[in-house]
Structures are given as structure tokens and as C-alpha cells.
Amino acid sequence: PWAAPEVPAVTSSDSFQTTAAPGGAPCPTTASAAPNKPSFLAGTLAPKAGAYSPLVMKLSREDGTQPIGGFEATLPEGLLAKLAGVPYCPEAAIAQARSRSKPNEGALEQAHPSCPAASELGSLDVAAGAGPTPLHTPGHIYLAGPYKGAPLSAVTITPAIAGPFDLGTVVVRAAIYIDPNTSQGRTVSDPLPQILEGIPLDLRSVSLELNRPRFTLNPTSCDRKTVSGATTSAFGQIAPLSSPFQVGGCKSLPYKPKFSARLFGPIHRGGHPRFRTVFTAKPGEANTKRIVLALPSSEFIDQAHFRTICTRVQFAADQCPAGSIYGHVKATTPLVDYPLEGPVYLRSSNHKLPDAVIALRGPASQPIEVDVVGRVDSVNGGLRTTFAAVPDAPLTKAVVTLQGGKKGLFQNSTNICKGAFRATLKLDGQNGKVHDTRPLMKAQCPKKKSAKKGGGRHH
């Protein structure tokens, strides 16, 4: 083999007359009957909570097992990527790399990469060939745009060069789906090549390292998690993948976000004010896990102002009627260059009142979706909303504005300027810390007239 020239070549055809596979196990009667048990390892090099660290993955198989035909992997909650500042590899550049698939064009890709260096995420190592010393071939990983219904994708480009042999360039693209409820990333690769220019590749391992500086961000929860996935062999058989994952140092992270609430518009009893909340957090803090906001008794829901409620089926199909929108949300995060914003829906639920769904959306060119669902109920005569499963993601600021006037759901039970009314806020951090406050419900109250100065002779 070119990878290990010190290994002596087989000189006798009698050496092939064997019924034992590598390791002494009996040879399967057919290739599809061979074992399909790949090994899988994944994690970050520095598993510190809330810190950036390179992400490494290795998928491998023993000689004599079923070839790897494709794979998918799902990251644990809170293990995220900072996409801000990373441009996509253009579609034209990906097409150019694919066009270099002919023999002797791998060196061209090696000398003049198709994708710009600014879009590179890390490195790739592919081991191929039978026996104890497979050949290792390096490649590169790039960020790319929407693909196969996913908002993002990754492209691996590997010049297939083995010593004096140049078999061209191998391009494999993987769609990256993002779970809207947990923000988890799931990567699904296209089928991996099995034969190149008539040569069986016999892939033995695929190793990835996303080592772009400040790209992969650890979660702020120290709960035990798993990097999961599956491989599909060249014969269509599926094998599950699982690698344990956990970070440390969560308790050292501070958690003290700020929150404010304000009413705009009518202050009198029976009025329907517009309602706005502002949530802010500092960099380096633990992310939020749970939010419970109970409004004071000065505000209640006017059920006569309920319009349309979006059904779960409509919401899943992204077909909620306009009448089910009762507000707007805008959030900023250091992970992307643009704000995430969208409507606030009332969606049908299994409870007495409909759920409030905050639908965060990216621009059309980067269609990332995050949905935060809040259960609405009543406690102690006041209105309460509980967001029980907030994604473990950094949030700089979030502004939620609910409609007022004829479209407003909130109604004043009294003159809100005659007294001080406070909400009850309970915040739970991903690291187990809590931050409970009683924010004042501010309103547009008229300014008090100041006493007139002077006016008369003093004795």
C-alpha cells in the first residue's frame, strides 16, 4: 500500500484462500451480511460551559464491516455555532469544485480551492482502503447556504490524491436542519462515494474538526447530554450512533438578566393598552431555561377581543391566519449578524386558554426559525405566562410588543396610574441559578402639576 510501503506485498495467490475475516471471525457469505457496527466519537476539545471550543467528530469502522454510505448527526441542546461573520461558499464555487471530479484535477483544487477561505469551518480527514494501514486524505469543510429545505449546509471538498494517483475532487454536501423548539442542529449528509474511477474506496473513517476560531459554542447547562445520529451502509442498513457529551463549570457563570414591562395608551379602567416587555442579558452569563411572568391584577384578558386562534396543524404548515397574530417580537443574539423577529401567535392548546407562541425568524436568505411556546393561565386572579423550555442559546436583547386598542387583549381593571402595580417574574438559568424580581408595570401617566412659586407678600 502507498500509505505504508514497509508492509510486504502479497506474493502468493494461496494467501487469499481463507474463510476468516480480519480478526479471525468467519467470512460472511455475502457483503450485505457483514457486520454494520461503526464507532462514533464526538465532543469539544475544551468542554467548559459557555466557552468557544473546536468540535471534533470521528466516524469509523473495522475492516471487513459494511462500507459507510452516509451519516447524520444531531448535536446536544446548547452546542451551537456562531454564524456571524461567516460568509457562505457561493453556489458557483461549489459547482466549480464538483466540475473538478476528473482525474488529475484534484491537484488543481488543492492548489486553488474553489470556496473562499473566509467560509472555511475546519478540516476533514478521510481514511480509505483495506487492511491495517488505510490511506488518509485531507480535505476542507465550508459553510454554505440553504439546501434541501434546510436553512444551512456544509460542504466537504477533498482532493482524492494517493501518491502518484490523482482521481479528481470529491465533494459531499450535508444539509443542516435546526430544530425550532430546541435550536439543535441536525446534519444529514448526501451519499458518500463508493467507487472513484473504477477504484473501490472502502472508506474506513471520516474525521471532522470544526476549528474556526470562536465558532462552536458550548452550552451553559452541565446536564449529561448525547451527540446522536445514524449511519446508512452502502447496502442500506442503518446503525445508530451515540457519543456522551457534558461540559463543566456552569456554576461559575453569573445569571442576572434585566427585565422591564411597560403599558402604552389608555390608563383608565376598561382601556386596552399596548404591552411591551424588554429582556436583556450580558455576555458571559448563563442562558435562560425557564420564564414565568405573572401580571398584576390591574390587567386581565378581554375575551371579547379574541380573534382567530391558530391551530397546531396550521402552525406546523406555516399557515396561521393573520387574525391569530397579537404582537411582534425582535431579538438579537451574538450568534448571527441579523435580528431574529416575527409575530406573536395565539395557538390552540390542551389547556383552557390558548398558548402564546413567540416565532423568531431570520431573513429569507437565512431562514432560521426558533419557536418559544408559553402556556397561559390564571393565578391569584391575575394572568400568568410560563415559557417552560427556552433554548440554551445566548440572547442579548428581546423585545416583545403586544397589540393594544381594538386589537388589544389586555384590559385595565382599574386606573393604572392610581397606584403602583408590579408583575411577578421568575427566571431560571440553564446553570441552575434563579433570578426572581417584582418589576414595576410602568404606564404613560400624566405628569403631576408642580406647585406655583411666589404669588403674594410675605410678612
Side-chain angles (χ1 to χ4, degrees), residues 342-412:
V344 177
Y345 294 103
L346 285 187
R347 190 183 70 181
S348 59
S349 70
N350 298 326
H351 311 110
K352 183 177 180 180
L353 295 174
D355 290 335
V357 182
I358 295 176
L360 296 167
R361 301 290 182 262
S365 59
Q366 298 176 321
I368 295 176
E369 299 183 359
V370 179
D371 298 325
V372 186
V373 182
R375 177 186 174 182
V376 181
D377 63 0
S378 179
V379 59
N380 298 327
L383 190 66
R384 180 177 64 181
T385 305
T386 301
F387 297 95
V390 181
D392 188 358
L395 191 65
T396 305
K397 186 176 182 179
V399 180
V400 177
T401 304
L402 300 181
Q403 298 168 345
K406 294 181 179 180
K407 296 183 178 181
L409 284 178
F410 294 126
Q411 187 174 18
N412 301 329

Side-chain angles (χ1 to χ4, degrees), residues 263-275 299-305 402-412:
L263 299 170
F264 296 87
I267 62 173
H268 61 273
R269 184 176 184 273
H272 297 84
R274 181 165 50 95
F275 181 50
E299 302 303 319
F300 64 93
I301 287 183
D302 185 353
Q303 297 195 19
H305 278 213
L402 300 181
Q403 298 168 345
K406 294 181 179 180
K407 296 183 178 181
L409 284 178
F410 294 126
Q411 187 174 18
N412 301 329

Side-chain angles (χ1 to χ4, degrees), residues 262 267 417 443-451:
R262 191 176 184 89
I267 62 173
C417 289
Q444 291 181 305
C445 299
K447 294 182 179 181
K448 295 181 180 180
K449 296 181 180 180
S450 59

Side-chain angles (χ1 to χ4, degrees), residues 126-164:
V126 179
T133 54
L135 176 71
H136 289 265
T137 305
H140 299 271
I141 309 170
Y142 301 93
L143 181 68
Y147 183 63
K148 290 187 173 180
L152 302 167
S153 62
V155 178
T156 62
I157 301 178
T158 307
I161 299 176

Side-chain angles (χ1 to χ4, degrees), residues 96-352:
Q96 175 179 283
R98 292 187 187 278
S99 70
R100 294 174 174 177
S101 61
K102 299 178 182 178
N104 302 318
E105 291 186 341
L108 177 62
E109 177 64 29
Q110 195 174 58
H112 304 285
S114 298
C115 290
S119 62
E120 185 171 352
L121 302 181
S123 59
L124 169 76
D125 178 88
V126 179
T133 54
L135 176 71
H136 289 265
T137 305
H140 299 271
I141 309 170
Y142 301 93
L143 181 68
Y147 183 63
K148 290 187 173 180
L152 302 167
S153 62
V155 178
T156 62
I157 301 178
T158 307
I161 299 176
F165 300 101
D166 184 343
L167 305 181
T169 303
V170 177
V171 179
V172 177
R173 195 164 183 177
I176 303 176
Y177 300 90
I178 298 178
D179 188 307
N181 296 311
T182 65
S183 295
Q184 287 176 270
R186 181 172 68 95
T187 301
V188 181
S189 77
D190 284 347
L192 305 182
Q194 303 299 314
I195 297 178
L196 213 57
E197 296 300 320
I199 301 175
L201 297 181
D202 198 15
L203 294 177
R204 297 287 297 282
S205 70
V206 179
S207 300
L208 310 174
E209 181 174 350
L210 302 183
N211 52 18
R212 184 186 180 96
R214 296 181 63 81
F215 179 72
T216 308
L217 181 64
N218 283 324
T220 60
S221 167
C222 287
D223 294 342
R224 293 182 179 179
K225 305 176 187 293
T226 301
V227 182
S228 60
T231 61
T232 302
S233 74
F235 304 108
Q237 296 186 15
I238 298 176
L241 302 175
S242 180
S243 181
F245 178 86
Q246 189 174 20
V247 298
C250 293
K251 293 297 183 181
S252 64
L253 297 176
Y255 182 68
K256 201 173 181 179
K258 295 182 179 180
F259 180 90
S260 65
R262 191 176 184 89
L263 299 170
F264 296 87
I267 62 173
H268 61 273
R269 184 176 184 273
H272 297 84
R274 181 165 50 95
F275 181 50
R276 185 183 70 186
T277 63
V278 180
F279 176 95
T280 56
K282 294 181 180 179
E285 288 188 339
N287 301 322
T288 297
K289 181 178 182 179
R290 183 171 179 265
I291 302 174
V292 181
L293 176 64
L295 299 183
S297 57
S298 61
E299 302 303 319
F300 64 93
I301 287 183
D302 185 353
Q303 297 195 19
H305 278 213
F306 272 130
R307 302 188 300 276
T308 305
I309 305 298
C310 184
T311 67
R312 291 176 178 265
V313 174
Q314 289 173 324
F315 189 87
D318 197 20
Q319 295 179 349
C320 286
S324 64
I325 297 175
Y326 291 84
H328 181 267
V329 58
K330 183 176 182 180
T332 55
T333 170
L335 299 182
V336 293
D337 292 315
Y338 46 84
L340 296 172
E341 55 184 317
V344 177
Y345 294 103
L346 285 187
R347 190 183 70 181
S348 59
S349 70
N350 298 326
H351 311 110
K352 183 177 180 180

